[in-house]
Amino acid sequence: MSTSRDFDCIVIGAGVQGSFTAYQLAKKNKKTLLLEQFVLPHSRGSSHGQTRIIRKAYEQNFYTHMMEECYELWAQLEREAGVKLYRQTGLLVMGPEKSANYQNIKDTLQRNKVPMVVLTHDNFSQHIPNVNLAKGDEALVDTTAGVLFADRALKTVQEQFLKLGGVIRDNEKVTDIKPGPVVRVSTSVGVYHAKSLVITAGPWANKLLANTGLQLPLEVVKINVCYWKEKVPGSYGMKQRFPCFVQTECLESKVHIYGLPSNEYPGLMKVCYHMGSKTDPDQRDLQKDKSDIEILQHYIARCFPGLVPEPAIVESCLYTLTPDHHFVLDYHPAYSNIMIGAGFSGHGFKFGPIIGKLLCELSLGEVPSYDLSPFHIRRFQSKTRSAL
């Protein structure tokens, strides 16, 4: 391990975004330090758990465009490490046929020539057993979608970063940041210096940004991650080629409901409400709201008759939301050598490789590979305030 405390770049936060940023910097031969406040691996933030959905099905073109390259970067990491990180299952998207959300997703997939199958009430049950398609709903399958093995992916990218000469210091909480031409970062253990700093601290982003005179309009919410028992084991199983799904809106909810086929807990399917209740990331267990579980119980009883409509396991995850649920990928407004990746709003994991590449490009002063205007801080205007 390097004993030097001077680096080309320091990345704060070793979740999926920070880990991929550090990995990309190390690939460019930059001496990089990745700092993490907790002992790795941990389940305190937004990057833990065994699975995540990977998909091109989005309402916005810019996400679908980014995912094209992202699939390639995930495959590249699989080849480099010799590890399987993705399994194609397809993504079933269901929603009211005439609703804007559903139609926008369908239009974006068609516009970008993403392979998909549109299902009607007449042929739905032939393709998707054990699911009831609501009256007035249409369905489509993004056939390129699937499941990312999240814990494995995070461990893999961190291992690759170390192989490239990167340094990870976990169990080191950042206590102060002093901006300047050389940024000084103080932790519970020591002091480090770097030419550039990337902050990818998830729910703790604003606590760190306060040291730099900036507060973003971020809200941290606690999500109940629910697993539901199959009445007949394997009915919704990954091995039986059951797809992931997103219900854009329904009788019970205007918020997305999503699910992944049973895999990590045999005989249990993950089905979650894509929103939670406000919480402090350092006191998450004080947030005990379970109102979303009641919504899910009604939805599952109506649409997934092969599941017992009572959660067998409830875990938790934190989302860090922006007002428009789009990411923040930008330079600090006052310091061009501090980059911010934040507000991934519960849909950022799959983008890890491309976000790492983009934050690396910003850190090196390169022109980013994509138009980042949807992710600029200035879109918040009056909602962004000085912390000083």
Side-chain angles (χ1 to χ4, degrees):
M1 183 180 282
S2 169
T3 54
S4 168
R5 297 190 174 249
D6 296 319
F7 293 87
D8 293 320
C9 187
I10 295 171
V11 180
I12 303 175
V16 67
Q17 318 300 355
S19 296
F20 268 105
T21 302
Y23 162 72
Q24 288 286 350
L25 284 160
K27 284 185 99 170
K28 298 267 190 173
N29 296 314
K30 298 300 170 185
K31 187 179 175 187
T32 306
L33 170 65
L34 179 58
L35 288 170
E36 171 55 52
Q37 65 176 322
F38 302 119
V39 175
L40 291 170
H42 70 83
S43 58
R44 306 281 291 277
S46 308
S47 293
H48 62 282
Q50 290 186 43
T51 54
R52 294 290 191 283
I53 296 173
I54 182 169
R55 60 186 165 107
K56 293 178 185 172
Y58 264 93
E59 289 188 61
Q60 298 85 5
N61 267 314
F62 53 83
Y63 286 127
T64 304
H65 288 161
M66 288 166 74
M67 281 310 302
E68 284 288 340
E69 185 180 357
C70 216
Y71 272 84
E72 292 170 18
L73 293 175
W74 279 115
Q76 184 181 314
L77 181 62
E78 284 186 318
R79 288 192 299 272
E80 275 179 31
V83 177
K84 187 167 177 61
L85 302 176
Y86 156 73
R87 178 155 177 170
Q88 188 173 350
T89 63
L91 173 75
L92 170 67
V93 182
M94 299 177 285
E97 190 177 353
K98 295 183 168 53
S99 68
N101 280 355
Y102 177 80
Q103 278 302 328
N104 287 342
I105 291 170
K106 186 177 176 182
D107 291 348
T108 302
L109 290 172
Q110 287 174 331
R111 199 179 305 119
N112 290 283
K113 297 182 170 54
V114 176
M116 71 164 180
V117 178
V118 177
L119 302 175
T120 65
H121 275 271
D122 294 334
N123 65 6
F124 182 83
S125 58
Q126 293 168 240
H127 294 278
I128 313 289
N130 305 310
V131 180
N132 296 327
L133 183 65
K135 189 179 178 184
D137 275 15
E138 190 181 89
L140 61 84
V141 177
D142 167 1
T143 58
T144 66
V147 174
L148 283 170
F149 301 119
D151 282 346
R152 192 186 301 170
L154 195 59
K155 181 171 179 280
T156 300
V157 71
Q158 288 168 358
E159 286 172 349
Q160 294 303 111
F161 169 62
L162 291 171
K163 282 181 189 171
L164 291 164
V167 178
I168 299 178
R169 298 256 166 89
D170 63 351
N171 202 24
E172 273 199 50
K173 186 173 183 176
V174 171
T175 54
D176 191 31
I177 297 167
K178 283 279 185 291
V182 173
V183 185
R184 191 181 82 180
V185 177
S186 303
T187 74
S188 51
V189 172
V191 178
Y192 306 95
H193 300 89
K195 296 167 195 162
S196 66
L197 173 68
V198 181
I199 297 173
T200 49
W204 291 271
N206 265 340
K207 294 189 180 192
L208 286 171
L209 287 169
N211 294 295
T212 71
L214 180 68
Q215 289 291 271
L216 297 174
L218 302 175
E219 182 179 51
V220 179
V221 298
K222 180 183 173 184
I223 306 299
N224 291 312
V225 181
C226 302
Y227 295 85
W228 310 76
K229 188 177 181 183
E230 295 169 315
K231 291 175 182 175
V232 177
S235 319
Y236 302 96
M238 192 182 288
K239 287 177 182 165
Q240 284 72 27
R241 302 187 61 78
F242 194 83
C244 302
F245 83 87
V246 169
Q247 177 81 50
T248 60
E249 58 186 274
C250 58
L251 187 65
E252 293 80 8
S253 171
K254 294 290 179 199
V255 172
H256 284 194
I257 291 170
Y258 68 92
L260 294 89
S262 60
N263 179 57
E264 55 229 82
Y265 294 122
L268 300 182
M269 182 180 181
K270 185 197 287 189
V271 180
C272 307
Y273 185 73
H274 197 45
M275 185 47 71
S277 298
K278 193 172 179 178
T279 192
D280 178 336
D282 292 315
Q283 297 183 309
R284 63 193 288 168
D285 292 335
L286 296 179
Q287 177 52 264
K288 299 186 187 300
D289 184 11
K290 296 278 199 292
S291 56
D292 57 316
I293 294 177
E294 194 175 326
I295 292 168
L296 290 172
Q297 286 177 310
H298 288 297
Y299 173 75
I300 282 169
R302 184 171 63 84
C303 296
F304 282 77
L307 295 176
V308 177
E310 183 73 40
I313 296 174
V314 180
E315 297 175 342
S316 68
C317 183
L318 298 180
Y319 287 1
T320 307
L321 307 172
T322 60
D324 58 12
H325 291 200
H326 299 318
F327 313 151
V328 173
L329 298 170
D330 205 353
Y331 296 103
H332 190 292
Y335 307 105
S336 61
N337 62 342
I338 297 179
M339 276 51 64
I340 302 164
F344 293 101
S345 302
H347 65 110
F349 194 101
K350 69 185 87 63
F351 289 96
I354 203 76
I355 286 163
K357 180 181 173 182
L358 288 163
L359 289 171
C360 173
E361 288 169 346
L362 292 179
S363 181
L364 299 177
E366 297 173 0
V367 176
S369 301
Y370 294 85
D371 172 18
L372 296 187
S373 56
F375 311 121
H376 283 165
I377 289 170
R378 63 173 173 267
R379 76 185 191 270
F380 302 129
Q381 295 173 331
S382 62
K383 291 176 184 171
T384 305
R385 64 186 193 276
S386 170
L388 298 179

